[in-house]
Amino acid sequence: MAYLTTFYWGWLLASVLLGFAMGWISVVQHGEGVTGKLRWTLSVLVAALVGVALARVVPGRFGYWLDLGLIMFALYLCGCVVGSCLRHWVVARSAPPA
C-alpha cells in the first residue's frame, strides 16, 4: 500500500481532483440518476471486488492493478463527496433568503 501511494501519488491526486470537479458539476446537473436495481448490482460488484482484494485472491500484476483501481475509485468518490458538499454550501450561502 505504501508503495502504491509513493509511486502513483500523481495518479491518486488526479483521481481526487477529477472527483472534486465532477462533484462540483453534479450539483448543477439534475439528471435521472441510477435506478434502484442497477444501484444494487453496482454495490454488490464493488463489495465483491473489495472482498477479493482483501482476501488476496488475485495474485501478481492483476491483483496489483485491482488494488490500485480500488484505491483510485475510493479517492474519486471522496473527491465527489467533497466537491458536491462544497458546491451545495457555496450555492446555499449565496442564494437570497426565501
Side-chain angles (χ1 to χ4, degrees), residues 15-87:
S15 66
V16 169
L17 293 177
L18 182 65
F20 180 81
M22 292 301 108
W24 187 272
I25 293 170
S26 70
V27 176
V28 176
Q29 180 203 16
H30 298 288
E32 294 178 16
V34 179
T35 63
K37 185 176 180 181
L38 182 60
R39 184 179 305 138
W40 176 255
T41 305
L42 291 174
S43 299
V44 168
L45 176 67
V46 169
L49 287 174
V50 169
V52 165
L54 289 175
R56 297 183 184 179
V57 174
V58 181
R61 181 176 290 177
F62 294 111
Y64 180 75
W65 289 344
L66 176 65
D67 290 345
L68 181 62
L70 288 173
I71 292 169
M72 289 179 74
F73 182 63
L75 289 174
Y76 173 81
L77 289 179
C78 290
C80 284
V81 168
V82 170
S84 64
C85 288
L86 282 176
R87 174 66 184 222

